[in-house]
Amino acid sequence: MKKVPTLDIRRYDTDRDAFVAEIGAAYREFGFCCISGHGIARELIDGSYDAFRRFFALPTETKMRYHVAGAGGARGYTPFKVETAKDSQHADLKEFWHIGREIPRDSTFADVMPPNLWPVEVPDFRQYGYGLYQALDQLGTRVLRALALHIGEPENFFEDKTDVGNSILRPIHYPPITDENVPNVRAGAHEDINFITLLVGASAEGLEVLTREGEWLPITTEGDAIVVNIGDMLQRLSNHVFPSTTHRVVNPKNENARKPRYSVPFFLHPNPDVVLDPLDSCITADNPRRYDSSITSHEYLLERLREIKLI
């Protein structure tokens, strides 16, 4: 049985060449890898989940105060059955919140990266939510260093392309499945839009990735491992050297289907003005250039948000 590998990121400092080769091979094969040894404190992860659970437990009318109509869910609360996977008949069975990067309001990108909202009903939501945002942002930078080296670019190649990236931390609540007639997928099959996604501590099983052989492979993490997968923007920039792999969240076949599921992905995005043209280092005779037109990451994001019915 194939398995998405778990790699200890501390080896980047102690056994760099081997680590870069292994993580590169994992992403070329699966578009997914599990990262351990990341050093993000358990207390930060557990505290964040606790704060997010307390928010989702609030009455609907309270949560809806933080829903910004017409903003595509960029910040604050998005209620159930709004987001819909591309080409899916059914809306996803989830509600979620978006935390974005804190930037000066006179920044070049202030018009596309609005200020965060914070629920007053959960006083430590901001402390934990933005603390986890920053920790995953830093871990994502470390993963991107290894990926840059794998494709022959300098270690810090991505850093000036993501330092004001329009990245999002998305706490998600999937409610318990109580109706036998509900479709058996909590989040429809999809690919992520961004550079890389870091998923910390999903509270129940259900995440599955589509292998090259067309089979659904469950991803289960061990210990403190964080699931990190490639998004479509990095697939485009890398000329498909790093594939963005289809994945979904299914209902567990056991009693966990009757329990709520919480999940907190961090979508690491490039800066809004980064042009997603395939890199010369990723164009070869065996892998000719796959895209002729140029598009910025912000234009690409808007295109995709329309597809999934968020704007």
Side-chain angles (χ1 to χ4, degrees):
M1 178 75 173
K2 281 191 168 186
K3 190 176 183 189
V4 173
T6 297
L7 299 177
D8 188 328
I9 198 165
R10 289 172 295 193
R11 289 179 49 225
Y12 183 77
D13 297 316
T14 60
D15 189 16
R16 180 162 301 180
D17 290 349
F19 178 81
V20 167
E22 287 171 36
I23 198 172
Y27 282 121
R28 285 173 182 259
E29 169 71 15
F30 295 108
F32 273 75
C33 185
C34 301
I35 300 293
S36 64
H38 47 72
I40 298 176
R42 188 79 245 170
E43 188 275 334
L44 175 58
I45 295 170
D46 291 346
S48 300
Y49 266 86
D50 180 59
F52 301 151
R53 277 193 188 97
R54 280 182 279 130
F55 171 77
F56 288 124
L58 293 170
T60 300
E61 57 270 25
T62 305
K63 292 184 283 192
M64 286 302 288
R65 288 180 203 148
Y66 300 99
H67 176 56
V68 185
R75 299 291 183 271
Y77 176 68
T78 296
F80 289 116
K81 293 192 175 182
V82 172
E83 183 173 344
T84 306
K86 185 182 174 186
D87 302 326
S88 175
Q89 295 178 332
H90 300 283
D92 288 347
L93 304 172
K94 65 188 181 190
E95 58 180 339
F96 56 88
W97 181 280
H98 275 180
I99 298 169
R101 188 179 303 280
E102 299 274 0
I103 58 171
R105 296 327 300 166
D106 59 357
S107 160
T108 313
F109 301 129
D111 57 329
V112 297
M113 293 167 65
N116 279 307
L117 302 177
W118 302 108
V120 296
E121 296 81 2
V122 184
D124 53 355
F125 191 104
R126 179 176 191 163
Q127 168 202 337
Y128 280 113
Y130 205 66
L132 188 59
Y133 183 106
Q134 292 174 304
L136 291 169
D137 196 33
Q138 290 159 10
L139 177 59
T141 295
R142 294 165 67 193
V143 171
L144 286 172
R145 286 176 191 151
L147 296 188
L149 291 175
H150 184 73
I151 55 173
E153 298 289 352
E155 175 187 29
N156 62 355
F157 174 78
F158 287 106
E159 282 166 48
D160 65 351
K161 299 168 184 64
T162 56
D163 55 348
V164 276
N166 192 8
S167 302
I168 292 289
L169 185 74
R170 175 190 271 195
I172 305 172
H173 170 223
Y174 300 94
I177 304 297
T178 53
D179 183 346
E180 296 298 336
N181 298 319
V182 167
N184 71 341
V185 174
R186 277 173 157 163
H190 64 283
E191 298 82 43
D192 291 346
I193 299 170
N194 40 295
F195 260 6
I196 58 174
T197 300
L198 297 90
L199 177 66
V200 58
S203 67
E205 69 268 45
L207 179 62
E208 296 184 342
V209 57
L210 190 62
T211 67
R212 292 183 175 196
E213 293 74 34
E215 295 169 355
W216 287 105
L217 179 67
I219 294 190
T220 48
T221 54
E222 298 150 17
D224 68 345
I226 287 175
V227 179
V228 185
N229 65 279
I230 306 294
D232 286 349
M233 290 185 186
L234 187 55
Q235 172 177 263
R236 195 182 200 279
L237 192 73
S238 70
N239 203 40
H240 291 233
V241 169
F242 298 129
S244 174
T245 305
T246 302
H247 54 285
R248 66 184 183 181
V249 178
V250 298
N251 300 331
K253 300 284 192 289
N254 53 30
E255 66 281 1
N256 286 343
R258 301 283 178 260
K259 297 176 184 174
R261 180 181 193 270
Y262 298 90
S263 156
V264 185
F266 177 76
F267 300 110
L268 193 153
H269 279 260
N271 302 352
D273 59 355
V274 168
V275 178
L276 301 173
D277 287 357
L279 300 171
D280 290 344
S281 56
C282 296
I283 299 170
T284 63
D286 293 336
N287 187 30
R289 185 184 173 106
R290 295 168 186 254
Y291 300 93
D292 296 324
S293 57
S294 285
I295 191 167
T296 67
S297 69
H298 186 64
E299 291 164 342
Y300 190 89
L301 176 63
L302 293 179
E303 199 175 273
R304 291 292 299 276
L305 290 177
R306 289 186 194 101
E307 286 179 357
I308 61 173
K309 301 184 170 60
L310 276 182
I311 58 172

